[in-house]
PDB file of all heavy atoms in Angstrom:
ATOM      1  N   ALA A   1      -4.595   7.409  -0.821  1.00  0.00           N
ATOM      2  CA  ALA A   1      -4.136   6.047  -1.019  1.00  0.00           C
ATOM      3  C   ALA A   1      -3.612   5.491   0.354  1.00  0.00           C
ATOM      4  O   ALA A   1      -3.909   4.392   0.709  1.00  0.00           O
ATOM      5  CB  ALA A   1      -3.074   5.990  -2.028  1.00  0.00           C
ATOM      6  N   GLY A   2      -2.889   6.322   1.111  1.00  0.00           N
ATOM      7  CA  GLY A   2      -2.294   5.877   2.323  1.00  0.00           C
ATOM      8  C   GLY A   2      -3.300   5.587   3.440  1.00  0.00           C
ATOM      9  O   GLY A   2      -2.968   4.817   4.358  1.00  0.00           O
ATOM     10  N   ALA A   3      -4.537   6.094   3.279  1.00  0.00           N
ATOM     11  CA  ALA A   3      -5.514   5.934   4.342  1.00  0.00           C
ATOM     12  C   ALA A   3      -6.270   4.594   4.215  1.00  0.00           C
ATOM     13  O   ALA A   3      -7.065   4.235   5.089  1.00  0.00           O
ATOM     14  CB  ALA A   3      -6.543   7.130   4.251  1.00  0.00           C
ATOM     15  N   VAL A   4      -5.982   3.864   3.147  1.00  0.00           N
ATOM     16  CA  VAL A   4      -6.595   2.537   3.001  1.00  0.00           C
ATOM     17  C   VAL A   4      -6.222   1.651   4.122  1.00  0.00           C
ATOM     18  O   VAL A   4      -5.027   1.502   4.380  1.00  0.00           O
ATOM     19  CB  VAL A   4      -6.290   1.941   1.623  1.00  0.00           C
ATOM     20  CG1 VAL A   4      -6.772   0.523   1.499  1.00  0.00           C
ATOM     21  CG2 VAL A   4      -6.879   2.746   0.443  1.00  0.00           C
ATOM     22  N   PRO A   5      -7.159   0.997   4.817  1.00  0.00           N
ATOM     23  CA  PRO A   5      -6.827   0.074   5.884  1.00  0.00           C
ATOM     24  C   PRO A   5      -6.258  -1.244   5.370  1.00  0.00           C
ATOM     25  O   PRO A   5      -6.666  -1.674   4.346  1.00  0.00           O
ATOM     26  CB  PRO A   5      -8.148  -0.106   6.688  1.00  0.00           C
ATOM     27  CG  PRO A   5      -9.218   0.177   5.656  1.00  0.00           C
ATOM     28  CD  PRO A   5      -8.685   1.184   4.691  1.00  0.00           C
ATOM     29  N   ASP A   6      -5.433  -1.822   6.179  1.00  0.00           N
ATOM     30  CA  ASP A   6      -4.940  -3.214   5.897  1.00  0.00           C
ATOM     31  C   ASP A   6      -6.159  -4.123   6.186  1.00  0.00           C
ATOM     32  O   ASP A   6      -6.758  -4.039   7.282  1.00  0.00           O
ATOM     33  CB  ASP A   6      -3.727  -3.506   6.812  1.00  0.00           C
ATOM     34  CG  ASP A   6      -3.292  -4.961   6.563  1.00  0.00           C
ATOM     35  OD1 ASP A   6      -3.779  -5.874   7.232  1.00  0.00           O
ATOM     36  OD2 ASP A   6      -2.414  -5.081   5.695  1.00  0.00           O
ATOM     37  N   PRO A   7      -6.476  -4.990   5.269  1.00  0.00           N
ATOM     38  CA  PRO A   7      -7.707  -5.800   5.538  1.00  0.00           C
ATOM     39  C   PRO A   7      -7.556  -6.899   6.659  1.00  0.00           C
ATOM     40  O   PRO A   7      -8.477  -7.322   7.251  1.00  0.00           O
ATOM     41  CB  PRO A   7      -7.901  -6.571   4.155  1.00  0.00           C
ATOM     42  CG  PRO A   7      -6.629  -6.442   3.443  1.00  0.00           C
ATOM     43  CD  PRO A   7      -5.900  -5.208   3.971  1.00  0.00           C
ATOM     44  N   GLU A   8      -6.273  -7.255   6.948  1.00  0.00           N
ATOM     45  CA  GLU A   8      -6.028  -8.234   8.012  1.00  0.00           C
ATOM     46  C   GLU A   8      -5.849  -7.489   9.376  1.00  0.00           C
ATOM     47  O   GLU A   8      -6.101  -8.175  10.439  1.00  0.00           O
ATOM     48  CB  GLU A   8      -4.769  -9.078   7.708  1.00  0.00           C
ATOM     49  CG  GLU A   8      -4.973  -9.957   6.499  1.00  0.00           C
ATOM     50  CD  GLU A   8      -3.735 -10.696   6.164  1.00  0.00           C
ATOM     51  OE1 GLU A   8      -2.573 -10.242   6.421  1.00  0.00           O
ATOM     52  OE2 GLU A   8      -3.844 -11.747   5.534  1.00  0.00           O
ATOM     53  N   LEU A   9      -5.411  -6.280   9.381  1.00  0.00           N
ATOM     54  CA  LEU A   9      -5.262  -5.542  10.575  1.00  0.00           C
ATOM     55  C   LEU A   9      -5.864  -4.104  10.364  1.00  0.00           C
ATOM     56  O   LEU A   9      -5.138  -3.160  10.091  1.00  0.00           O
ATOM     57  CB  LEU A   9      -3.731  -5.357  10.917  1.00  0.00           C
ATOM     58  CG  LEU A   9      -2.983  -6.612  11.241  1.00  0.00           C
ATOM     59  CD1 LEU A   9      -1.487  -6.429  11.087  1.00  0.00           C
ATOM     60  CD2 LEU A   9      -3.362  -7.084  12.630  1.00  0.00           C
ATOM     61  N   PRO A  10      -7.194  -4.040  10.506  1.00  0.00           N
ATOM     62  CA  PRO A  10      -7.871  -2.764  10.099  1.00  0.00           C
ATOM     63  C   PRO A  10      -7.565  -1.598  10.959  1.00  0.00           C
ATOM     64  O   PRO A  10      -7.941  -0.500  10.598  1.00  0.00           O
ATOM     65  CB  PRO A  10      -9.315  -3.154  10.149  1.00  0.00           C
ATOM     66  CG  PRO A  10      -9.364  -4.401  11.077  1.00  0.00           C
ATOM     67  CD  PRO A  10      -8.087  -5.133  10.875  1.00  0.00           C
ATOM     68  N   VAL A  11      -6.786  -1.738  12.015  1.00  0.00           N
ATOM     69  CA  VAL A  11      -6.406  -0.628  12.824  1.00  0.00           C
ATOM     70  C   VAL A  11      -5.180   0.106  12.205  1.00  0.00           C
ATOM     71  O   VAL A  11      -4.711   1.140  12.684  1.00  0.00           O
ATOM     72  CB  VAL A  11      -6.080  -0.921  14.293  1.00  0.00           C
ATOM     73  CG1 VAL A  11      -7.362  -1.465  14.934  1.00  0.00           C
ATOM     74  CG2 VAL A  11      -4.938  -1.967  14.428  1.00  0.00           C
ATOM     75  N   LEU A  12      -4.625  -0.470  11.173  1.00  0.00           N
ATOM     76  CA  LEU A  12      -3.483   0.054  10.441  1.00  0.00           C
ATOM     77  C   LEU A  12      -3.787   0.481   9.060  1.00  0.00           C
ATOM     78  O   LEU A  12      -4.476  -0.212   8.343  1.00  0.00           O
ATOM     79  CB  LEU A  12      -2.309  -0.996  10.354  1.00  0.00           C
ATOM     80  CG  LEU A  12      -1.699  -1.527  11.573  1.00  0.00           C
ATOM     81  CD1 LEU A  12      -0.683  -2.529  11.260  1.00  0.00           C
ATOM     82  CD2 LEU A  12      -1.241  -0.446  12.541  1.00  0.00           C
ATOM     83  N   THR A  13      -3.272   1.635   8.659  1.00  0.00           N
ATOM     84  CA  THR A  13      -3.369   2.049   7.285  1.00  0.00           C
ATOM     85  C   THR A  13      -2.215   1.492   6.558  1.00  0.00           C
ATOM     86  O   THR A  13      -1.182   1.167   7.111  1.00  0.00           O
ATOM     87  CB  THR A  13      -3.343   3.601   7.078  1.00  0.00           C
ATOM     88  OG1 THR A  13      -2.161   4.097   7.488  1.00  0.00           O
ATOM     89  CG2 THR A  13      -4.475   4.265   7.977  1.00  0.00           C
ATOM     90  N   ILE A  14      -2.344   1.526   5.198  1.00  0.00           N
ATOM     91  CA  ILE A  14      -1.158   0.979   4.469  1.00  0.00           C
ATOM     92  C   ILE A  14       0.008   2.024   4.525  1.00  0.00           C
ATOM     93  O   ILE A  14       1.133   1.541   4.378  1.00  0.00           O
ATOM     94  CB  ILE A  14      -1.537   0.636   3.021  1.00  0.00           C
ATOM     95  CG1 ILE A  14      -1.940   1.913   2.219  1.00  0.00           C
ATOM     96  CG2 ILE A  14      -2.592  -0.450   2.962  1.00  0.00           C
ATOM     97  CD1 ILE A  14      -2.064   1.594   0.700  1.00  0.00           C
ATOM     98  N   ALA A  15      -0.223   3.258   4.785  1.00  0.00           N
ATOM     99  CA  ALA A  15       0.872   4.158   4.985  1.00  0.00           C
ATOM    100  C   ALA A  15       1.607   3.858   6.256  1.00  0.00           C
ATOM    101  O   ALA A  15       2.787   3.792   6.353  1.00  0.00           O
ATOM    102  CB  ALA A  15       0.355   5.619   4.972  1.00  0.00           C
ATOM    103  N   ASP A  16       0.776   3.704   7.401  1.00  0.00           N
ATOM    104  CA  ASP A  16       1.484   3.381   8.692  1.00  0.00           C
ATOM    105  C   ASP A  16       2.178   2.001   8.667  1.00  0.00           C
ATOM    106  O   ASP A  16       3.162   1.906   9.312  1.00  0.00           O
ATOM    107  CB  ASP A  16       0.411   3.448   9.797  1.00  0.00           C
ATOM    108  CG  ASP A  16       0.097   4.875  10.280  1.00  0.00           C
ATOM    109  OD1 ASP A  16       0.986   5.723  10.033  1.00  0.00           O
ATOM    110  OD2 ASP A  16      -0.943   5.068  10.868  1.00  0.00           O
ATOM    111  N   LEU A  17       1.592   1.106   7.979  1.00  0.00           N
ATOM    112  CA  LEU A  17       2.234  -0.180   7.812  1.00  0.00           C
ATOM    113  C   LEU A  17       3.541  -0.087   7.010  1.00  0.00           C
ATOM    114  O   LEU A  17       4.409  -0.930   7.222  1.00  0.00           O
ATOM    115  CB  LEU A  17       1.244  -1.218   7.176  1.00  0.00           C
ATOM    116  CG  LEU A  17       1.537  -2.674   7.234  1.00  0.00           C
ATOM    117  CD1 LEU A  17       1.934  -3.238   8.597  1.00  0.00           C
ATOM    118  CD2 LEU A  17       0.451  -3.489   6.619  1.00  0.00           C
ATOM    119  N   GLY A  18       3.608   0.852   6.184  1.00  0.00           N
ATOM    120  CA  GLY A  18       4.868   1.079   5.365  1.00  0.00           C
ATOM    121  C   GLY A  18       4.850   0.358   4.061  1.00  0.00           C
ATOM    122  O   GLY A  18       5.897   0.181   3.401  1.00  0.00           O
ATOM    123  N   ILE A  19       3.703  -0.099   3.569  1.00  0.00           N
ATOM    124  CA  ILE A  19       3.704  -0.802   2.302  1.00  0.00           C
ATOM    125  C   ILE A  19       3.330   0.185   1.095  1.00  0.00           C
ATOM    126  O   ILE A  19       3.482  -0.293  -0.050  1.00  0.00           O
ATOM    127  CB  ILE A  19       2.704  -2.009   2.295  1.00  0.00           C
ATOM    128  CG1 ILE A  19       1.218  -1.534   2.424  1.00  0.00           C
ATOM    129  CG2 ILE A  19       3.055  -3.035   3.323  1.00  0.00           C
ATOM    130  CD1 ILE A  19       0.296  -2.747   2.176  1.00  0.00           C
ATOM    131  N   LEU A  20       2.907   1.359   1.452  1.00  0.00           N
ATOM    132  CA  LEU A  20       2.698   2.396   0.433  1.00  0.00           C
ATOM    133  C   LEU A  20       4.110   2.931   0.051  1.00  0.00           C
ATOM    134  O   LEU A  20       4.758   3.548   0.908  1.00  0.00           O
ATOM    135  CB  LEU A  20       1.776   3.512   0.876  1.00  0.00           C
ATOM    136  CG  LEU A  20       1.622   4.633  -0.148  1.00  0.00           C
ATOM    137  CD1 LEU A  20       0.865   4.147  -1.370  1.00  0.00           C
ATOM    138  CD2 LEU A  20       0.818   5.749   0.534  1.00  0.00           C
ATOM    139  N   ARG A  21       4.558   2.699  -1.126  1.00  0.00           N
ATOM    140  CA  ARG A  21       5.893   3.064  -1.473  1.00  0.00           C
ATOM    141  C   ARG A  21       6.024   4.395  -2.249  1.00  0.00           C
ATOM    142  O   ARG A  21       6.892   5.181  -2.030  1.00  0.00           O
ATOM    143  CB  ARG A  21       6.516   1.931  -2.367  1.00  0.00           C
ATOM    144  CG  ARG A  21       7.053   0.771  -1.554  1.00  0.00           C
ATOM    145  CD  ARG A  21       8.082   1.305  -0.525  1.00  0.00           C
ATOM    146  NE  ARG A  21       8.721   0.294   0.303  1.00  0.00           N
ATOM    147  CZ  ARG A  21       9.408  -0.675  -0.124  1.00  0.00           C
ATOM    148  NH1 ARG A  21       9.753  -0.852  -1.346  1.00  0.00           N
ATOM    149  NH2 ARG A  21       9.927  -1.517   0.767  1.00  0.00           N
ATOM    150  N   ASP A  22       5.155   4.571  -3.272  1.00  0.00           N
ATOM    151  CA  ASP A  22       5.236   5.751  -4.051  1.00  0.00           C
ATOM    152  C   ASP A  22       3.857   6.067  -4.732  1.00  0.00           C
ATOM    153  O   ASP A  22       3.080   5.114  -4.935  1.00  0.00           O
ATOM    154  CB  ASP A  22       6.289   5.580  -5.167  1.00  0.00           C
ATOM    155  CG  ASP A  22       6.729   6.834  -5.885  1.00  0.00           C
ATOM    156  OD1 ASP A  22       6.529   7.930  -5.301  1.00  0.00           O
ATOM    157  OD2 ASP A  22       7.248   6.778  -7.033  1.00  0.00           O
ATOM    158  N   VAL A  23       3.667   7.368  -5.001  1.00  0.00           N
ATOM    159  CA  VAL A  23       2.534   7.804  -5.751  1.00  0.00           C
ATOM    160  C   VAL A  23       3.092   8.823  -6.757  1.00  0.00           C
ATOM    161  O   VAL A  23       3.996   9.551  -6.499  1.00  0.00           O
ATOM    162  CB  VAL A  23       1.387   8.408  -4.860  1.00  0.00           C
ATOM    163  CG1 VAL A  23       0.909   7.423  -3.849  1.00  0.00           C
ATOM    164  CG2 VAL A  23       1.925   9.705  -4.141  1.00  0.00           C
ATOM    165  N   ARG A  24       2.414   8.795  -7.925  1.00  0.00           N
ATOM    166  CA  ARG A  24       2.775   9.708  -8.944  1.00  0.00           C
ATOM    167  C   ARG A  24       1.600   9.812  -9.947  1.00  0.00           C
ATOM    168  O   ARG A  24       0.791   8.946  -9.956  1.00  0.00           O
ATOM    169  CB  ARG A  24       4.045   9.282  -9.683  1.00  0.00           C
ATOM    170  CG  ARG A  24       3.993   8.030 -10.330  1.00  0.00           C
ATOM    171  CD  ARG A  24       5.461   7.523 -10.690  1.00  0.00           C
ATOM    172  NE  ARG A  24       5.364   6.080 -11.077  1.00  0.00           N
ATOM    173  CZ  ARG A  24       5.321   5.064 -10.201  1.00  0.00           C
ATOM    174  NH1 ARG A  24       5.324   5.289  -8.865  1.00  0.00           N
ATOM    175  NH2 ARG A  24       5.213   3.817 -10.634  1.00  0.00           N
ATOM    176  N   ILE A  25       1.699  10.831 -10.794  1.00  0.00           N
ATOM    177  CA  ILE A  25       0.703  10.991 -11.864  1.00  0.00           C
ATOM    178  C   ILE A  25       1.449  10.949 -13.120  1.00  0.00           C
ATOM    179  O   ILE A  25       2.336  11.790 -13.351  1.00  0.00           O
ATOM    180  CB  ILE A  25      -0.161  12.216 -11.720  1.00  0.00           C
ATOM    181  CG1 ILE A  25      -0.929  12.087 -10.371  1.00  0.00           C
ATOM    182  CG2 ILE A  25      -1.108  12.400 -12.875  1.00  0.00           C
ATOM    183  CD1 ILE A  25      -1.689  13.388 -10.036  1.00  0.00           C
ATOM    184  N   VAL A  26       1.105   9.975 -13.938  1.00  0.00           N
ATOM    185  CA  VAL A  26       1.808   9.781 -15.262  1.00  0.00           C
ATOM    186  C   VAL A  26       0.796   9.881 -16.382  1.00  0.00           C
ATOM    187  O   VAL A  26      -0.070   9.088 -16.471  1.00  0.00           O
ATOM    188  CB  VAL A  26       2.589   8.425 -15.310  1.00  0.00           C
ATOM    189  CG1 VAL A  26       3.221   8.243 -16.623  1.00  0.00           C
ATOM    190  CG2 VAL A  26       3.574   8.308 -14.163  1.00  0.00           C
ATOM    191  N   GLY A  27       0.914  10.887 -17.183  1.00  0.00           N
ATOM    192  CA  GLY A  27       0.013  11.060 -18.303  1.00  0.00           C
ATOM    193  C   GLY A  27      -1.436  11.140 -17.904  1.00  0.00           C
ATOM    194  O   GLY A  27      -2.336  10.631 -18.474  1.00  0.00           O
ATOM    195  N   GLY A  28      -1.641  11.780 -16.775  1.00  0.00           N
ATOM    196  CA  GLY A  28      -3.015  11.994 -16.215  1.00  0.00           C
ATOM    197  C   GLY A  28      -3.537  10.829 -15.415  1.00  0.00           C
ATOM    198  O   GLY A  28      -4.629  10.876 -14.904  1.00  0.00           O
ATOM    199  N   THR A  29      -2.761   9.710 -15.266  1.00  0.00           N
ATOM    200  CA  THR A  29      -3.210   8.547 -14.560  1.00  0.00           C
ATOM    201  C   THR A  29      -2.438   8.456 -13.229  1.00  0.00           C
ATOM    202  O   THR A  29      -1.194   8.553 -13.174  1.00  0.00           O
ATOM    203  CB  THR A  29      -2.958   7.288 -15.287  1.00  0.00           C
ATOM    204  OG1 THR A  29      -3.749   7.332 -16.580  1.00  0.00           O
ATOM    205  CG2 THR A  29      -3.430   6.024 -14.583  1.00  0.00           C
ATOM    206  N   ALA A  30      -3.183   8.307 -12.106  1.00  0.00           N
ATOM    207  CA  ALA A  30      -2.517   8.065 -10.820  1.00  0.00           C
ATOM    208  C   ALA A  30      -1.924   6.682 -10.834  1.00  0.00           C
ATOM    209  O   ALA A  30      -2.498   5.664 -11.164  1.00  0.00           O
ATOM    210  CB  ALA A  30      -3.551   8.231  -9.691  1.00  0.00           C
ATOM    211  N   GLU A  31      -0.701   6.640 -10.381  1.00  0.00           N
ATOM    212  CA  GLU A  31       0.046   5.347 -10.188  1.00  0.00           C
ATOM    213  C   GLU A  31       0.435   5.296  -8.723  1.00  0.00           C
ATOM    214  O   GLU A  31       1.008   6.191  -8.185  1.00  0.00           O
ATOM    215  CB  GLU A  31       1.285   5.229 -11.104  1.00  0.00           C
ATOM    216  CG  GLU A  31       0.921   5.076 -12.562  1.00  0.00           C
ATOM    217  CD  GLU A  31       2.140   4.693 -13.377  1.00  0.00           C
ATOM    218  OE1 GLU A  31       3.159   4.235 -12.824  1.00  0.00           O
ATOM    219  OE2 GLU A  31       2.008   4.743 -14.584  1.00  0.00           O
ATOM    220  N   ILE A  32       0.156   4.085  -8.138  1.00  0.00           N
ATOM    221  CA  ILE A  32       0.500   3.860  -6.760  1.00  0.00           C
ATOM    222  C   ILE A  32       1.352   2.590  -6.643  1.00  0.00           C
ATOM    223  O   ILE A  32       0.910   1.541  -7.193  1.00  0.00           O
ATOM    224  CB  ILE A  32      -0.794   3.711  -5.888  1.00  0.00           C
ATOM    225  CG1 ILE A  32      -1.541   5.053  -5.868  1.00  0.00           C
ATOM    226  CG2 ILE A  32      -0.507   3.350  -4.442  1.00  0.00           C
ATOM    227  CD1 ILE A  32      -2.660   5.108  -6.866  1.00  0.00           C
ATOM    228  N   ASP A  33       2.425   2.633  -6.037  1.00  0.00           N
ATOM    229  CA  ASP A  33       3.327   1.506  -5.832  1.00  0.00           C
ATOM    230  C   ASP A  33       3.126   0.982  -4.392  1.00  0.00           C
ATOM    231  O   ASP A  33       3.182   1.728  -3.431  1.00  0.00           O
ATOM    232  CB  ASP A  33       4.765   1.825  -6.046  1.00  0.00           C
ATOM    233  CG  ASP A  33       5.119   2.149  -7.491  1.00  0.00           C
ATOM    234  OD1 ASP A  33       4.278   1.919  -8.359  1.00  0.00           O
ATOM    235  OD2 ASP A  33       6.195   2.748  -7.695  1.00  0.00           O
ATOM    236  N   ILE A  34       2.923  -0.341  -4.227  1.00  0.00           N
ATOM    237  CA  ILE A  34       2.811  -0.942  -2.932  1.00  0.00           C
ATOM    238  C   ILE A  34       3.758  -2.160  -2.871  1.00  0.00           C
ATOM    239  O   ILE A  34       4.080  -2.744  -3.909  1.00  0.00           O
ATOM    240  CB  ILE A  34       1.355  -1.376  -2.576  1.00  0.00           C
ATOM    241  CG1 ILE A  34       0.761  -2.270  -3.654  1.00  0.00           C
ATOM    242  CG2 ILE A  34       0.515  -0.081  -2.332  1.00  0.00           C
ATOM    243  CD1 ILE A  34      -0.637  -2.807  -3.366  1.00  0.00           C
ATOM    244  N   THR A  35       4.164  -2.521  -1.703  1.00  0.00           N
ATOM    245  CA  THR A  35       5.079  -3.642  -1.477  1.00  0.00           C
ATOM    246  C   THR A  35       4.338  -4.575  -0.401  1.00  0.00           C
ATOM    247  O   THR A  35       3.979  -4.176   0.587  1.00  0.00           O
ATOM    248  CB  THR A  35       6.427  -3.190  -0.871  1.00  0.00           C
ATOM    249  OG1 THR A  35       7.012  -2.356  -1.839  1.00  0.00           O
ATOM    250  CG2 THR A  35       7.322  -4.391  -0.607  1.00  0.00           C
ATOM    251  N   PRO A  36       4.308  -5.921  -0.760  1.00  0.00           N
ATOM    252  CA  PRO A  36       3.735  -6.828   0.178  1.00  0.00           C
ATOM    253  C   PRO A  36       4.574  -6.954   1.443  1.00  0.00           C
ATOM    254  O   PRO A  36       5.803  -6.811   1.381  1.00  0.00           O
ATOM    255  CB  PRO A  36       3.568  -8.092  -0.582  1.00  0.00           C
ATOM    256  CG  PRO A  36       4.678  -8.044  -1.641  1.00  0.00           C
ATOM    257  CD  PRO A  36       4.788  -6.533  -1.996  1.00  0.00           C
ATOM    258  N   THR A  37       3.924  -7.287   2.553  1.00  0.00           N
ATOM    259  CA  THR A  37       4.709  -7.559   3.739  1.00  0.00           C
ATOM    260  C   THR A  37       5.583  -8.848   3.632  1.00  0.00           C
ATOM    261  O   THR A  37       6.594  -8.948   4.324  1.00  0.00           O
ATOM    262  CB  THR A  37       3.798  -7.667   4.942  1.00  0.00           C
ATOM    263  OG1 THR A  37       2.819  -8.722   4.700  1.00  0.00           O
ATOM    264  CG2 THR A  37       3.147  -6.327   5.272  1.00  0.00           C
ATOM    265  N   TYR A  38       5.109  -9.732   2.812  1.00  0.00           N
ATOM    266  CA  TYR A  38       5.958 -10.886   2.400  1.00  0.00           C
ATOM    267  C   TYR A  38       5.386 -11.456   1.016  1.00  0.00           C
ATOM    268  O   TYR A  38       4.308 -11.170   0.674  1.00  0.00           O
ATOM    269  CB  TYR A  38       5.956 -12.000   3.505  1.00  0.00           C
ATOM    270  CG  TYR A  38       4.566 -12.679   3.709  1.00  0.00           C
ATOM    271  CD1 TYR A  38       4.222 -13.788   3.029  1.00  0.00           C
ATOM    272  CD2 TYR A  38       3.637 -12.166   4.523  1.00  0.00           C
ATOM    273  CE1 TYR A  38       3.045 -14.514   3.157  1.00  0.00           C
ATOM    274  CE2 TYR A  38       2.414 -12.765   4.723  1.00  0.00           C
ATOM    275  CZ  TYR A  38       2.137 -13.889   4.071  1.00  0.00           C
ATOM    276  OH  TYR A  38       0.925 -14.545   4.247  1.00  0.00           O
ATOM    277  N   SER A  39       6.306 -12.088   0.303  1.00  0.00           N
ATOM    278  CA  SER A  39       5.885 -12.631  -1.005  1.00  0.00           C
ATOM    279  C   SER A  39       4.703 -13.574  -0.809  1.00  0.00           C
ATOM    280  O   SER A  39       4.730 -14.382   0.047  1.00  0.00           O
ATOM    281  CB  SER A  39       7.045 -13.358  -1.644  1.00  0.00           C
ATOM    282  OG  SER A  39       8.077 -12.477  -1.947  1.00  0.00           O
ATOM    283  N   GLY A  40       3.762 -13.362  -1.674  1.00  0.00           N
ATOM    284  CA  GLY A  40       2.567 -14.265  -1.637  1.00  0.00           C
ATOM    285  C   GLY A  40       1.503 -13.790  -0.541  1.00  0.00           C
ATOM    286  O   GLY A  40       0.521 -14.575  -0.277  1.00  0.00           O
ATOM    287  N   CYS A  41       1.626 -12.610  -0.047  1.00  0.00           N
ATOM    288  CA  CYS A  41       0.636 -12.118   0.918  1.00  0.00           C
ATOM    289  C   CYS A  41      -0.751 -12.058   0.285  1.00  0.00           C
ATOM    290  O   CYS A  41      -0.923 -11.438  -0.705  1.00  0.00           O
ATOM    291  CB  CYS A  41       1.057 -10.710   1.371  1.00  0.00           C
ATOM    292  SG  CYS A  41      -0.178  -9.960   2.487  1.00  0.00           S
ATOM    293  N   PRO A  42      -1.662 -12.820   0.783  1.00  0.00           N
ATOM    294  CA  PRO A  42      -2.997 -12.933   0.300  1.00  0.00           C
ATOM    295  C   PRO A  42      -3.820 -11.612   0.353  1.00  0.00           C
ATOM    296  O   PRO A  42      -4.822 -11.438  -0.348  1.00  0.00           O
ATOM    297  CB  PRO A  42      -3.677 -13.998   1.049  1.00  0.00           C
ATOM    298  CG  PRO A  42      -3.021 -14.031   2.371  1.00  0.00           C
ATOM    299  CD  PRO A  42      -1.607 -13.625   2.074  1.00  0.00           C
TER     300      PRO A  42
END
């Protein structure tokens, strides 16, 4: 999940950008939490 590039800044991954917040597996389903760099980020 963290290796996904930011679409506006493809030299950054979402992990390096710091928007990847949490990953977990709940009931066999992967859940990934992300935070926008600002509200309304397209």
Side-chain angles (χ1 to χ4, degrees):
V4 171
D6 180 271
E8 294 176 333
L9 295 164
V11 298
L12 300 181
T13 67
I14 65 169
D16 279 340
L17 190 54
I19 66 171
L20 178 64
R21 281 300 180 68
D22 194 20
V23 299
R24 62 195 166 279
I25 298 175
V26 178
T29 300
E31 289 194 13
I32 294 97
D33 293 346
I34 55 177
T35 297
T37 55
Y38 67 94
S39 295
C41 175

